[in-house]
Amino acid sequence: GAGVSQSPRYKVAKRGQDVALRCDPISGHVSLFWYQQALGQGPEFLTYFQNEAQLDKSGLPSDRFFAERPEGSVSTLKIQRTQQEDSAVYLCASSQTGGGYTFGSGTRLTVV
Amino acid sequence: GESVGLHLPTLSVQEGDNSIINCAYSNSASDYFIWYKQESGKGPQFIIDIRSNMDKRQGQRVTVLLNKTVKHLSLQIAATQPGDSAVYFCAEITTNDYKLSFGAGTTVTVRA
């Protein structure tokens, strides 16, 4: 597609519920990133994929967070047993090797 | 209008005036810097970038200045327009890395 597509745009989850956030990167982009943006803050790195390989997951805040990109294109960020502190905008970005990032519009997660 | 000093969270500017947004970066090893614009409900959008071997770069109505001695970056917007109202983030990265590190952001409001 023309840009990075994320779904859903908004998600309200009850505390303890599992959620799955989807990212469709730009076709052909090798690199894919997930960032978390708390209200009023800059995005914070979560994890990085090169094709299907997850090369860095150092930013994932706990073992409740899990990301995958099984075929090297679409990626899913899963959060198990959501907590209120997980409320944030989750941004996906993709890039070609050595190229600039293109961000999606994000998924706003609210845990109630 | 100018965000004086290292960083101010908000900047109010009269339409048609020039805006200056400042950013202090933290990593002296960073050699690539990017300014992003983020409108409400959207992901960060690339504005302009600069590498550490330069101290100034101009785009359309925007100029980025880099002072490596004091680890300071600024974004100048000429003839600010209502469509420039947004949150602006500076981001830094080192060439052999892939993680963008974002500042906290400055909210620019353009007064008609």
Side-chain angles (χ1 to χ4, degrees):
Chain A
V4 177
S5 178
Q6 292 188 245
S7 61
R9 288 296 314 276
Y10 304 93
K11 177 68 179 178
V12 179
K14 291 184 178 179
R15 193 171 56 178
Q17 185 179 355
D18 297 350
V19 298
L21 313 179
R22 177 187 170 103
C23 173
D24 278 271
I26 292 173
S27 179
H29 277 195
V30 169
S31 301
L32 185 144
F33 308 83
W34 284 97
Y35 282 77
Q36 180 190 57
Q37 186 173 24
L39 189 64
Q41 302 295 316
E44 296 276 350
F45 171 83
L46 293 177
T47 187
Y48 161 57
F49 289 86
Q50 189 174 86
N51 295 307
E52 70 279 1
Q54 188 176 21
L55 299 187
D56 187 341
K57 54 182 181 180
S58 63
L60 296 177
S62 78
D63 59 7
R64 296 185 295 104
F65 287 69
F66 172 76
E68 59 182 7
R69 193 186 186 197
E71 297 178 358
S73 55
V74 171
S75 177
T76 304
L77 176 66
K78 298 179 180 178
I79 309 173
Q80 297 177 324
R81 305 180 303 281
T82 51
Q83 303 294 315
Q84 282 194 317
E85 61 263 29
D86 300 334
S87 295
V89 174
Y90 291 86
L91 294 164
C92 177
S94 70
S95 73
Q96 295 176 322
T97 303
Y101 286 50
T102 301
F103 282 88
S105 293
T107 294
R108 180 177 296 277
L109 173 66
T110 304
V111 181
V112 298
Chain B
E2 179 174 356
S3 67
V4 177
L6 290 180
H7 170 255
L8 279 182
T10 61
L11 174 67
S12 180
V13 60
Q14 186 70 37
E15 181 179 357
D17 286 353
N18 297 334
S19 303
I20 300 175
I21 305 165
N22 294 304
C23 174
Y25 64 93
S26 56
N27 186 354
S28 56
S30 294
D31 55 8
Y32 181 50
F33 305 89
I34 309 168
W35 279 100
Y36 286 94
K37 172 186 180 183
Q38 188 172 27
E39 296 174 280
S40 181
K42 296 184 179 180
Q45 178 187 3
F46 173 92
I47 302 173
I48 192 167
D49 59 1
I50 189 167
R51 295 204 174 270
S52 59
N53 60 352
M54 302 173 70
D55 53 21
K56 180 179 180 178
R57 190 159 188 231
Q58 289 185 291
Q60 186 176 16
R61 282 203 305 120
V62 293
T63 300
V64 55
L65 300 178
L66 174 63
N67 184 331
K68 296 180 291 294
T69 303
V70 294
K71 293 192 288 186
H72 182 266
L73 199 64
S74 70
L75 177 70
Q76 301 176 0
I77 305 174
T80 312
Q81 302 170 359
D84 296 327
S85 293
V87 180
Y88 290 81
F89 293 98
C90 65
E92 58 183 298
I93 193 170
T94 54
T95 300
N96 294 325
D97 199 354
Y98 42 77
K99 291 184 229 184
L100 282 172
S101 180
F102 285 82
T106 297
T107 300
V108 173
T109 302
V110 180
R111 305 188 307 272

